[in-house]
Coordinates of all heavy atoms in Angstrom, one line a residue:
E15 N 15.3 73.9 95.9 CA 15.3 74.0 97.4 C 16.4 73.3 98.1 O 17.0 73.7 99.0 CB 13.9 73.6 97.9 CG 12.8 74.5 97.5 CD 11.4 74.0 97.9 OE1 11.3 72.9 98.6 OE2 10.5 74.7 97.6
M16 N 16.7 72.1 97.6 CA 17.9 71.3 98.1 C 19.2 72.1 97.9 O 20.0 72.1 98.8 CB 17.9 70.0 97.4 CG 16.8 69.0 97.9 SD 17.0 67.4 97.0 CE 18.3 66.7 98.0
I17 N 19.3 72.7 96.8 CA 20.6 73.4 96.5 C 20.7 74.6 97.4 O 21.7 74.9 98.0 CB 20.6 73.9 95.0 CG1 20.8 72.7 94.1 CG2 21.7 74.9 94.8 CD1 20.5 72.9 92.7
L18 N 19.6 75.3 97.6 CA 19.6 76.5 98.5 C 19.8 76.1 100.0 O 20.4 76.9 100.7 CB 18.3 77.3 98.4 CG 18.0 78.0 97.1 CD1 16.6 78.6 97.0 CD2 19.1 79.1 96.9
R19 N 19.4 74.9 100.4 CA 19.7 74.4 101.7 C 21.1 73.8 101.8 O 21.4 73.3 102.9 CB 18.7 73.3 102.1 CG 17.3 73.8 102.4 CD 16.4 72.7 103.1 NE 16.7 71.3 102.6 CZ 16.0 70.7 101.7 NH1 15.0 71.2 101.1 NH2 16.3 69.4 101.4
R20 N 21.8 73.8 100.7 CA 23.2 73.3 100.7 C 23.2 71.8 101.0 O 24.0 71.3 101.7 CB 24.1 74.0 101.6 CG 24.3 75.5 101.2 CD 25.4 76.1 102.0 NE 25.5 77.5 101.7 CZ 26.3 78.0 100.7 NH1 26.9 77.3 99.9 NH2 26.3 79.3 100.5
A21 N 22.3 71.1 100.3 CA 22.2 69.6 100.5 C 23.5 69.0 100.0 O 24.2 69.6 99.1 CB 21.0 69.1 99.7
S22 N 23.9 67.8 100.5 CA 25.1 67.2 100.0 C 24.9 66.7 98.6 O 23.8 66.4 98.1 CB 25.4 65.9 100.9 OG 24.5 64.9 100.6
P23 N 26.0 66.6 97.9 CA 26.0 66.0 96.5 C 25.3 64.7 96.5 O 24.6 64.4 95.5 CB 27.5 65.9 96.1 CG 28.2 67.0 96.9 CD 27.4 67.0 98.3
D24 N 25.6 63.8 97.4 CA 24.9 62.5 97.5 C 23.4 62.6 97.5 O 22.7 61.9 96.9 CB 25.5 61.6 98.6 CG 26.9 61.2 98.4 OD1 27.4 61.2 97.3 OD2 27.6 60.9 99.4
D25 N 22.9 63.5 98.4 CA 21.5 63.7 98.5 C 20.9 64.3 97.2 O 19.8 63.9 96.8 CB 21.2 64.7 99.7 CG 21.4 64.0 101.0 OD1 21.5 62.7 101.1 OD2 21.5 64.8 102.0
L26 N 21.6 65.2 96.6 CA 21.1 65.8 95.3 C 21.1 64.7 94.2 O 20.1 64.6 93.5 CB 22.0 66.9 94.8 CG 21.8 68.2 95.5 CD1 23.0 69.2 95.1 CD2 20.5 68.8 95.1
L27 N 22.1 63.8 94.2 CA 22.2 62.7 93.2 C 21.0 61.8 93.4 O 20.3 61.4 92.5 CB 23.5 62.0 93.2 CG 23.7 60.8 92.3 CD1 23.5 61.2 90.9 CD2 25.0 60.1 92.5
A28 N 20.8 61.4 94.7 CA 19.7 60.5 95.0 C 18.3 61.1 94.6 O 17.5 60.4 94.0 CB 19.7 60.2 96.5
A29 N 18.1 62.3 94.9 CA 16.9 63.0 94.5 C 16.7 63.1 93.0 O 15.6 62.8 92.4 CB 16.8 64.4 95.1
A30 N 17.8 63.4 92.3 CA 17.7 63.4 90.8 C 17.5 62.1 90.2 O 16.6 62.0 89.3 CB 19.1 64.0 90.3
Q31 N 18.1 61.1 90.7 CA 17.8 59.7 90.2 C 16.4 59.3 90.5 O 15.8 58.6 89.7 CB 18.8 58.7 90.8 CG 20.2 58.9 90.1 CD 21.2 57.9 90.6 OE1 21.5 57.8 91.8 NE2 21.8 57.2 89.7
K32 N 15.9 59.6 91.7 CA 14.5 59.3 92.0 C 13.5 60.0 91.0 O 12.5 59.3 90.7 CB 14.2 59.7 93.5 CG 12.9 59.3 94.0 CD 12.7 59.7 95.4 CE 11.3 59.3 95.9 NZ 11.1 59.6 97.3
S33 N 13.9 61.2 90.5 CA 13.0 61.8 89.6 C 13.3 61.4 88.1 O 12.7 61.9 87.2 CB 13.1 63.3 89.7 OG 14.4 63.8 89.3
G34 N 14.1 60.4 87.9 CA 14.3 59.8 86.6 C 15.7 60.1 85.9 O 15.9 59.7 84.8
M35 N 16.6 60.8 86.6 CA 17.9 61.1 85.9 C 18.7 59.9 85.8 O 18.7 59.0 86.7 CB 18.6 62.2 86.7 CG 20.0 62.5 86.1 SD 21.0 63.5 87.2 CE 22.0 62.2 87.8
R36 N 19.3 59.7 84.6 CA 20.3 58.6 84.4 C 21.7 59.3 84.5 O 21.9 60.3 84.0 CB 20.1 58.0 83.1 CG 18.9 57.1 83.0 CD 18.8 56.3 81.7 NE 19.1 57.2 80.6 CZ 19.5 56.8 79.4 NH1 19.6 55.5 79.2 NH2 19.7 57.6 78.4
T37 N 22.6 58.6 85.2 CA 24.0 59.1 85.3 C 24.7 58.9 84.0 O 24.3 58.1 83.1 CB 24.7 58.4 86.4 OG1 24.9 57.0 86.1 CG2 24.0 58.6 87.7
L38 N 25.8 59.5 83.9 CA 26.7 59.3 82.7 C 27.0 57.9 82.5 O 27.0 57.4 81.4 CB 28.0 60.2 82.9 CG 28.9 60.4 81.7 CD1 28.3 61.3 80.7 CD2 30.2 61.0 82.2
Q39 N 27.4 57.2 83.6 CA 27.8 55.8 83.4 C 26.6 54.9 83.1 O 26.7 54.0 82.2 CB 28.4 55.3 84.7 CG 29.0 53.9 84.6 CD 29.8 53.6 85.8 OE1 29.2 53.3 86.8 NE2 31.1 53.6 85.7
Q40 N 25.4 55.2 83.6 CA 24.2 54.5 83.2 C 23.9 54.6 81.7 O 23.6 53.7 81.0 CB 23.0 54.9 84.1 CG 23.1 54.4 85.5 CD 22.1 55.1 86.4 OE1 21.6 56.2 86.1 NE2 21.6 54.4 87.4
D41 N 24.0 55.9 81.2 CA 23.8 56.1 79.8 C 24.8 55.3 78.9 O 24.5 54.7 77.9 CB 23.8 57.6 79.5 CG 23.4 57.9 78.0 OD1 22.3 57.4 77.6 OD2 24.1 58.6 77.4
A42 N 26.1 55.4 79.3 CA 27.1 54.7 78.6 C 26.9 53.2 78.6 O 27.2 52.5 77.6 CB 28.5 55.1 79.2
L43 N 26.5 52.6 79.8 CA 26.3 51.2 79.9 C 25.2 50.8 78.9 O 25.2 49.7 78.4 CB 26.0 50.8 81.3 CG 27.2 50.8 82.3 CD1 26.7 50.6 83.7 CD2 28.1 49.6 81.9
E44 N 24.1 51.6 78.8 CA 23.1 51.3 77.9 C 23.6 51.3 76.5 O 23.2 50.4 75.7 CB 22.0 52.3 78.0 CG 20.7 52.0 77.1 CD 19.6 53.0 77.3 OE1 19.2 53.3 78.4 OE2 19.1 53.6 76.3
K45 N 24.5 52.2 76.2 CA 25.0 52.2 74.8 C 25.9 51.0 74.5 O 26.0 50.5 73.4 CB 25.7 53.5 74.5 CG 24.6 54.6 74.4 CD 25.2 56.1 74.2 CE 24.0 57.0 74.0 NZ 24.3 58.3 74.4
A46 N 26.6 50.5 75.6 CA 27.4 49.4 75.5 C 26.6 48.1 75.2 O 26.9 47.3 74.4 CB 28.3 49.2 76.7
A47 N 25.4 48.1 75.9 CA 24.5 46.9 75.7 C 23.9 47.0 74.3 O 23.6 45.9 73.8 CB 23.4 47.0 76.8
Q48 N 23.8 48.1 73.7 CA 23.3 48.2 72.3 C 24.4 47.9 71.3 O 24.2 48.0 70.1 CB 22.8 49.6 72.1 CG 21.6 50.0 72.9 CD 21.2 51.4 72.8 OE1 21.8 52.2 72.0 NE2 20.2 51.8 73.5
G49 N 25.7 47.7 71.8 CA 26.8 47.3 70.9 C 27.5 48.6 70.3 O 28.3 48.5 69.4
M50 N 27.2 49.8 70.8 CA 27.8 51.0 70.3 C 29.2 51.1 70.8 O 30.0 51.9 70.2 CB 27.0 52.2 70.7 CG 25.6 52.2 70.1 SD 24.6 53.5 70.7 CE 25.4 55.0 70.1
T51 N 29.6 50.5 71.9 CA 30.9 50.6 72.5 C 31.2 49.4 73.3 O 30.3 48.5 73.4 CB 31.1 51.9 73.3 OG1 32.5 52.1 73.7 CG2 30.2 51.9 74.5
S52 N 32.3 49.3 73.9 CA 32.6 48.1 74.7 C 32.5 48.5 76.2 O 32.6 49.6 76.6 CB 34.1 47.6 74.5 OG 35.0 48.6 75.0
L53 N 32.3 47.4 77.0 CA 32.2 47.7 78.5 C 33.5 48.2 79.0 O 33.5 49.1 79.9 CB 31.9 46.4 79.2 CG 31.6 46.4 80.6 CD1 30.5 47.4 80.9 CD2 31.2 45.0 81.1
A54 N 34.7 47.8 78.4 CA 36.0 48.3 78.9 C 36.1 49.8 78.6 O 36.6 50.6 79.4 CB 37.1 47.6 78.2
E55 N 35.5 50.3 77.5 CA 35.6 51.7 77.1 C 34.7 52.5 78.1 O 35.0 53.6 78.5 CB 35.3 51.9 75.7 CG 35.3 53.4 75.2 CD 36.7 54.0 75.3 OE1 37.7 53.3 75.5 OE2 36.7 55.3 75.2
V56 N 33.5 51.9 78.4 CA 32.6 52.6 79.3 C 33.3 52.8 80.7 O 33.3 53.9 81.3 CB 31.3 51.8 79.5 CG1 30.5 52.3 80.7 CG2 30.5 51.8 78.2
M57 N 33.9 51.8 81.2 CA 34.6 51.9 82.4 C 35.7 52.8 82.4 O 36.0 53.6 83.4 CB 35.0 50.5 82.9 CG 33.9 49.5 83.1 SD 32.4 50.1 83.9 CE 33.0 50.3 85.6

């Protein structure tokens, strides 16, 4: 419904995160915390 109403990308992102979506950067930061990569590489 938000897409059909042409909601802004920021509004879509906020709604998605509210429903549990993790962003690419959040997923990468979690993997850096697990030692799979470095913080510099994530950034």
Side-chain angles (χ1 to χ4, degrees):
E15 289 173 5
M16 289 180 74
I17 292 166
L18 291 173
R19 287 193 327 260
R20 298 189 184 272
S22 73
D24 290 337
D25 289 343
L26 281 168
L27 177 61
Q31 287 181 305
K32 187 176 178 181
S33 69
M35 183 191 94
R36 287 186 314 158
T37 66
L38 191 70
Q39 192 172 71
Q40 288 167 332
D41 188 51
L43 285 169
E44 183 178 310
K45 288 175 177 157
Q48 294 171 5
M50 296 173 67
T51 189
S52 69
L53 188 56
E55 181 63 10
V56 167
M57 301 313 292

